[in-house]
Amino acid sequence: MKPVVPLILTFSGLFSAAIQAEVSYLIDLTQPLHHGASVEVHFPKTNSNQFTVNLPVWRTGKYQVLPLADGIRFFSAKDEAGEPLSVVRKASGEWQVELTQPTAVSVSYQLHANQLGERVAHIDATHAFLDASGVFIYSPEFRDEAVTVSMQVPDRWLSYSGMAKGEQAHSFVGSSYDVLVDSPIETGINHHRHFTADGRDYELVVWGEGNYDLDKMVTDLTKLSGQAKAIWEGYPFKRYVYMVHATSGARGATEHLNSTIIQRPRFSFRERKDYLEFIKIASHEFVHTWNVKAYRPVGLVPYDYQKENMSELLWISEGSTSYFQSQLLLRAGVITVKEFFEDLAKRIAKNKLKPGRESQSVAEASANQWANSDGDYAVNHSANIYSEGFLASLALDFSLLGESDLKHSYRDVHRALFREHRVPAGFDESDIQQILLSLTGEDYNAWWQTHINSPLSLDFPALLKKAGLKMDYSTDSKNIPYTGMKPNSSLMLTHVQRDSPAWHAGIVVGDQIVAIDGLKVTGKSFDARIKDFKAGGQIEITLFSDDRLKSVHLTLGEQQSGQLMLMSVKKPSRSQKAFFEAWLGIDWPFDRKGLLKY
């Protein structure tokens, strides 16, 4: 059976329009039903004997090596006369084209794109999402040359990208491959809105049906986008595109140079708690446009697309972004003070229940991110660059406010990073400490060793008291029995917390619970059954461990029921109110009775 001839060769007329660019990409999306496309890439003349082309082995925004080239088939190359060239596969993301004389090179291949959840490439009958890291090869020799992408698409499809539009319909141009790889394309049947904020143009593009309200999304995104000036002086873009996938299963988001892609379950927009998740993600990715895309640690400058990009400062890239996301929404009036406090309280409560915070510093977690995996071991033995990075940012912010007599905050650090360390400069630990010294007059080396290079341990009551806040539980909260293990619906244990009662009883992940005190228990009834006992009491757990039935005795611990809450201290002082206002940039929100005014 002969290989299928790439469809892209049937519309070579597009190439004449794209030939003006140094590197031109042509992609045929007219037969998208089975996630397929054909790609042709035209490179300028090279004098090399061996011409190397690559596909990245990771995509920006996800610090993990991925099998991105798995969807490529029928890879071939030709010289400028149309004669075939010998190609040798050298690595998962590398091909060498053998040359006998200087020539321009054309490469063609078929692409299978069904990686929606990875936000790399997805093609179906209704759309195509194209992140160049999983779609378009590049040559290191021509990485810095201008690029053009031309697409042939089904009727009714509309195409959007953070890149500038080309001369032809469904085409885009960029100044380099680095711009292309950080400017995904969304083309298909979609909804589109245009809006402006603080003198900048924005677009909202939504693919997929769901219970979202486009008008509300635009209203809140407009408010959010106008708050960038609260942190930074100026913008790294002239136009920004919010891309949203309302779909089933896939969820998450990725930041890009002047756009973002956000994926949410299609019916997770109407309820307030669900909508808050969407708008927080949008804020997170918007902050990334500065923190990561405009400035980032030296280990990630320039991006090396063929291997891990190591840094001990990823907690700043991700944790600090998480730290600022709700602050911008609060300033914009998109979320309430109560919602802001609920988010912060959940983060504190989660940290207190995570043993891994005692095992790993945020610096070590940053360096380990490329090898990191979620799950039981990570919770018990690892810090997280997002959650612990958030709290490290909070601690640094409060330290800055105190040391500078409220003249400077952590926002000023990021303002300086944008001003002084923009890509391709990058920044390292010494640059951060120099900024801290300039803002406070204090040497932060000792602070850094304690909070960044050592496991993070914060006295939350003392920290929050500076801002006139305290932690408490609702009046109906009480102590309840606690096992430290989490079963799924079939009572298979997915997590056993380190140093918990279950941990000390010898119960491990993968064990399957059968009965408690000799009586059958189900996944639905497990939590309620545990509440039948008292903290400090002993129960017998019958379970399968490695397919063997056994019984263990477990002494129940105790934990507080209800959600942790943040509220005003009694009779907050002027200095506490001033600290709060300098921290968040809003007025003191409580009345004399300690109730929220807004």
Side-chain angles (χ1 to χ4, degrees):
M1 181 176 180
K2 295 183 179 180
V4 178
V5 177
L7 298 174
I8 198 72
L9 299 179
T10 65
F11 66 105
S12 57
L14 286 177
F15 175 59
S16 61
I19 195 70
Q20 299 175 10
E22 291 291 335
V23 180
S24 61
Y25 296 86
L26 313 173
I27 182 166
D28 186 334
L29 297 163
T30 56
Q31 297 185 28
L33 183 60
H34 297 292
H35 312 294
S38 295
V39 180
E40 187 169 323
V41 188
H42 297 272
F43 295 101
K45 180 173 289 187
T46 175
N47 295 315
S48 304
N49 293 325
Q50 290 184 330
F51 183 63
T52 299
V53 293
N54 295 101
L55 190 76
V57 299
W58 66 286
R59 66 154 174 79
T60 63
K62 188 177 182 68
Y63 312 107
Q64 181 181 346
V65 173
L66 301 167
L68 299 182
D70 184 51
I72 291 180
R73 296 292 187 273
F74 303 120
F75 191 99
S76 63
K78 294 181 179 180
D79 64 17
E80 59 192 15
E83 295 298 320
L85 296 169
S86 175
V87 179
V88 178
R89 185 76 171 266
K90 304 298 289 187
S92 65
E94 181 172 312
W95 296 260
Q96 279 191 356
V97 182
E98 304 293 333
L99 303 178
T100 58
Q101 61 184 0
T103 181
V105 176
S106 296
V107 175
S108 62
Y109 50 91
Q110 285 190 334
L111 176 71
H112 180 259
N114 191 23
Q115 294 179 295
L116 181 64
E118 294 290 355
R119 294 177 296 285
V120 172
H122 185 255
I123 300 170
D124 68 13
T126 64
H127 91 133
F129 175 75
L130 307 174
D131 181 309
S133 59
V135 177
F136 297 127
I137 61 171
Y138 73 100
S139 169
E141 182 177 345
F142 299 113
R143 174 173 168 174
D144 295 330
E145 302 301 323
V147 300
T148 290
V149 177
S150 299
M151 302 182 295
Q152 187 173 19
V153 302
D155 293 339
R156 297 177 55 223
W157 280 26
L158 300 174
S159 304
Y160 302 95
S161 174
M163 287 186 291
K165 293 183 179 180
E167 295 181 0
Q168 303 294 319
H170 306 290
S171 68
F172 299 95
V173 296
S175 59
S176 67
Y177 183 81
D178 292 283
V179 172
L180 172 61
V181 83
D182 234 341
S183 305
I185 298 168
E186 175 64 35
T187 180
I189 300 170
N190 45 55
H191 301 284
H192 176 261
R193 294 286 191 276
H194 172 268
F195 59 97
T196 60
D198 196 32
R200 290 293 186 276
D201 290 325
Y202 294 85
E203 294 175 73
L204 170 63
V205 181
V206 183
W207 165 71
E209 298 306 312
N211 62 355
Y212 49 81
D213 182 333
L214 287 172
D215 292 335
K216 179 174 178 54
M217 292 166 75
V218 168
T219 296
D220 289 342
L221 290 174
T222 301
K223 293 177 181 179
L224 163 64
S225 303
Q227 285 298 318
K229 56 191 175 184
I231 303 177
W232 303 281
E233 297 169 339
Y235 291 81
F237 59 84
K238 293 183 178 179
R239 182 175 62 90
Y240 188 90
V241 184
Y242 290 97
M243 300 178 185
V244 178
H245 289 167
T247 181
S248 299
R251 58 188 301 164
T254 302
E255 73 277 7
H256 288 287
L257 197 61
N258 47 22
S259 63
T260 182
I261 172 63
I262 301 169
Q263 294 177 331
R264 296 287 296 160
R266 66 177 76 254
F267 299 118
S268 64
F269 293 88
R270 179 177 295 126
E271 299 299 325
R272 181 64 178 174
K273 64 180 179 62
D274 292 329
Y275 183 76
L276 284 177
E277 289 302 309
F278 160 72
I279 202 65
K280 287 176 185 177
I281 292 171
S283 183
H284 184 98
E285 306 311 323
F286 185 61
V287 172
H288 264 320
T289 316
W290 287 263
N291 184 23
V292 168
K293 293 309 172 184
Y295 55 86
R296 57 180 178 263
V298 292
L300 283 74
V301 180
Y303 284 136
D304 186 334
Y305 301 119
Q306 305 313 126
K307 67 177 185 180
E308 299 95 329
N309 291 217
M310 305 299 293
S311 172
E312 290 190 348
L313 296 175
L314 287 181
W315 68 270
I316 292 180
S317 299
E318 297 298 343
S320 297
T321 298
S322 296
Y323 179 66
F324 285 131
Q325 69 187 40
S326 290
Q327 290 193 26
L328 289 188
L329 293 171
L330 179 63
R331 283 173 171 262
V334 176
I335 65 173
T336 65
V337 176
K338 182 176 182 291
E339 290 167 338
F340 178 85
F341 284 167
E342 288 174 344
D343 178 77
L344 179 54
K346 286 180 181 178
R347 293 177 182 275
I348 294 173
K350 182 179 178 181
N351 176 258
K352 290 163 67 72
L353 294 174
K354 184 177 181 182
R357 63 184 169 80
E358 302 171 344
S359 302
Q360 194 176 57
S361 69
V362 292
E364 186 182 356
S366 296
N368 190 63
Q369 185 64 24
W370 288 89
N372 182 58
S373 60
D374 296 327
D376 179 72
Y377 185 79
V379 173
N380 281 329
H381 299 281
S382 301
N384 182 281
I385 61 172
Y386 295 85
S387 55
E388 276 66 57
F390 176 105
L391 296 174
S393 301
L394 172 69
L396 184 51
D397 200 1
F398 274 43
S399 176
L400 268 165
L401 287 163
E403 294 292 347
S404 68
D405 293 327
L406 306 186
K407 294 178 182 177
H408 297 291
S409 73
Y410 193 41
R411 296 187 296 275
D412 294 294
V413 174
H414 285 261
R415 189 174 296 119
L417 287 172
F418 181 56
R419 183 176 61 247
E420 302 167 11
H421 297 279
R422 295 182 66 170
V423 173
F427 64 87
D428 57 22
E429 178 183 324
S430 64
D431 295 319
I432 299 292
Q433 293 205 33
Q434 182 57 46
I435 294 172
L436 295 172
L437 176 63
S438 67
L439 293 174
T440 66
E442 298 293 330
D443 184 341
Y444 264 75
N445 183 64
W447 188 97
W448 199 270
Q449 293 302 319
T450 299
H451 295 83
I452 306 303
N453 292 337
S454 302
L456 186 66
S457 179
L458 298 178
D459 183 346
F460 290 109
L463 198 68
L464 294 170
K465 187 176 180 181
K466 295 179 180 180
L469 301 176
K470 67 176 183 178
M471 302 186 300
D472 205 348
Y473 290 88
S474 58
T475 55
D476 60 350
S477 178
K478 59 183 179 180
N479 290 329
I480 59 174
Y482 160 71
T483 65
M485 54 184 173
K486 293 182 179 179
N488 61 19
S489 59
S490 62
L491 288 177
M492 187 79 72
L493 296 182
T494 59
H495 175 59
V496 176
Q497 185 172 322
R498 180 162 59 89
D499 293 330
S500 68
W503 177 280
H504 290 298
I507 298 173
V508 300
V509 166
D511 287 353
Q512 186 173 25
I513 297 172
V514 176
I516 297 176
D517 278 358
L519 295 175
K520 180 180 177 180
V521 66
T522 66
K524 290 183 178 180
S525 66
F526 177 79
D527 289 337
R529 184 74 178 102
I530 293 299
K531 292 178 182 178
D532 288 338
F533 302 95
K534 293 183 179 181
Q538 191 175 83
I539 60 175
E540 182 184 40
I541 303 290
T542 304
L543 50 82
F544 280 106
S545 182
D546 196 22
D547 291 338
R548 289 183 178 274
L549 188 66
K550 71 175 185 179
S551 295
V552 298
H553 289 89
L554 181 151
T555 301
L556 292 166
E558 67 177 19
Q559 66 180 4
Q560 196 80 19
S561 68
Q563 290 186 344
L564 183 69
M565 300 187 302
L566 300 184
M567 57 191 68
S568 172
V569 299
K570 289 183 178 180
K571 298 181 180 180
S573 66
R574 289 184 179 180
S575 61
Q576 287 174 316
K577 292 180 180 180
F579 193 103
F580 180 95
E581 292 171 359
W583 168 38
L584 295 179
I586 63 171
D587 293 335
W588 179 251
F590 298 97
D591 62 19
R592 291 183 178 181
K593 294 182 180 180
L595 301 176
L596 285 171
K597 294 185 291 186
Y598 58 92

